[in-house]
Amino acid sequence: MTGEPMVKAEGVHKSYGAAHILRGIDLEVQNGEVFCLVGPSGSGKSTFLRCINHLERVDGGRLSVDGQLVGYREKNGKLYELKDSEVAVQRRDIGMVFQRFNLFPHMTALANVMEAPIQVKGESKAVARERAERLLDRVGLRDKMGNYPSQLSGGQQQRVAIARALAMEPKLMLFDEPTSALDPELVGDVLDVMRDLAESGMTMIVVTHEMGFAREVGDSLVFMDGGVVVESGNPRDVLGNPQHDRTKAFLSKVL
Ligand SMILES: Nc1ncnc2c1ncn2[C@@H]1O[C@H](COP(=O)(O)OP(=O)(O)OP(=O)(O)O)[C@@H](O)[C@H]1O
Ligand SMILES: [Mg+2]
């Protein structure tokens, strides 16, 4: 892993009104890395992902994806906010998978996966369909392509959501607790798809409470609390031998 990091956060701050949520996040996610983000509820994990994906604008520090500032352009040492249309172009390259799958309920699995490349990139139906079929096959849903979301289990819906994000051929995938809304017996299939994606070299940031996945698949792990990075490193080290009391207290509850 060499060259520019895929994500670089330097002193990133974010407030909602008077609530100061991110209080100076510093981290780097390298190309091809599986980067796990863990921490207690309310620590700012989702907020940070939303900043990376331009759903929120950072209000202090610098955040860049693949060498490009998120939401801003720098000119002669000054930052200028990007227009919505420019933000949309940056966002295309980032796939996001949420806890709730947010599939279009009136569309089949296949149509869900075909939709964005056609609407956003102006791709032909034939090309979009060919890719969607390949992706649904890859996530183990070859025989469910014609099903509507209501005809799929939660785990199957989440795998459609992953295929849908991949259809835009992102350079970075963000996962926000992708398995925490699933029945336990459905978690494994989704984690298998994520493991396969990691092996293919995708750069992934994964907010998760699945410490087994983090330990096995993760290249780095960050423990966040109160809007700052408390501790980071190799997942096996951080989980096996946490250095900070806050990390120890958190892990004693989830492990
Ligand atoms: N749009 C918003 N407006 C105001 N406050 C918000 C908004 N979004 C999040 N917050 C607040 O920011 C804090 C961090 O929320 P965030 O969702 O990032 O936490 P989290 O670490 O993802 O927690 P969880 O593990 O429960 O998902 C919380 O106190 C939350 O109430
Ligand atoms: Mg969250």
Side-chain angles (χ1 to χ4, degrees), residues 83-130:
K83 288 184 287 198
D84 288 350
S85 58
E86 296 170 308
V87 167
V89 169
Q90 285 192 341
R91 191 185 287 143
R92 277 185 193 183
D93 292 336
I94 304 171
M96 184 141 180
V97 175
F98 301 91
Q99 183 174 357
R100 298 260 159 219
F101 333 116
N102 309 98
L103 296 176
F104 303 118
H106 59 291
M107 290 184 186
T108 63
L110 185 67
N112 264 281
V113 181
M114 289 170 62
E115 181 71 3
I118 293 172
Q119 296 301 331
V120 179
K121 288 187 175 166
E123 202 165 79
S124 77
K125 267 195 169 179
V127 171
R129 173 185 292 266
E130 192 273 326

Side-chain angles (χ1 to χ4, degrees), residues 6-56:
M6 179 58 80
V7 176
K8 187 169 185 177
E10 298 166 278
V12 166
H13 287 258
K14 173 73 192 173
S15 297
Y16 294 111
H20 194 178
I21 305 301
L22 301 182
R23 296 167 169 263
I25 299 280
D26 291 290
L27 57 80
E28 280 188 10
V29 179
Q30 308 304 325
N31 247 306
E33 181 172 50
V34 177
F35 190 96
C36 298
L37 202 52
V38 304
S41 181
S43 57
K45 305 179 300 292
S46 296
T47 301
F48 183 61
L49 286 193
R50 291 170 59 79
C51 288
I52 295 174
N53 199 24
H54 314 254
L55 294 169
E56 302 289 350

